[in-house]
Amino acid sequence: MALVRGLLGAKKILSRSVTATTPKGFLPVYVGEDKVQKKRYIVPVSYLNQPSFQALLSKSEEEFGFDHPMGGLTIPCPEDTFITVTSSLKAR
């Protein structure tokens, strides 16, 4: 019983830490072509509806399917391409 309570407590702590690092309404994405090191960005979930962002997601699906090794959404594109796309979305 103590083990179950300990696991539940750890789960609560973990969920709070994820929430603290990623605000509600946003999601983390990992960007970069390098297999080893990718940069983490926090983007609004509203970007998921934008055609230009969906094109980046399609590239991600082609390379990774639904298994993202970084634990979050991984987009395998040059960082400057990602910044260009998201900057144009911010301007809207």
Side-chain angles (χ1 to χ4, degrees):
M1 191 64 155
L3 177 62
V4 172
R5 271 188 257 127
L7 290 174
L8 291 174
K11 186 176 177 182
K12 281 183 181 179
I13 291 169
L14 181 60
S15 68
R16 271 188 255 132
S17 70
V18 169
T19 304
T21 59
T22 306
K24 186 174 182 173
F26 291 81
L27 68 132
V29 295
Y30 297 89
V31 178
E33 294 179 298
D34 186 353
K35 297 278 185 199
V36 178
Q37 185 174 358
K38 301 204 183 293
K39 189 163 181 184
R40 185 176 192 259
Y41 289 89
I42 304 296
V43 298
V45 295
S46 62
Y47 285 9
L48 296 173
N49 294 324
Q50 302 300 320
S52 55
F53 197 78
Q54 288 175 359
L56 294 176
L57 294 177
S58 292
K59 184 175 181 180
S60 175
E61 182 183 9
E62 289 171 12
E63 184 160 332
F64 295 108
F66 293 106
D67 179 31
H68 294 273
M70 299 291 293
L73 185 60
T74 305
I75 300 177
C77 73
E79 191 175 349
D80 52 338
T81 300
F82 178 80
I83 290 170
T84 300
V85 168
T86 55
S87 294
S88 71
L89 295 173
K90 284 180 193 174
R92 294 180 185 188

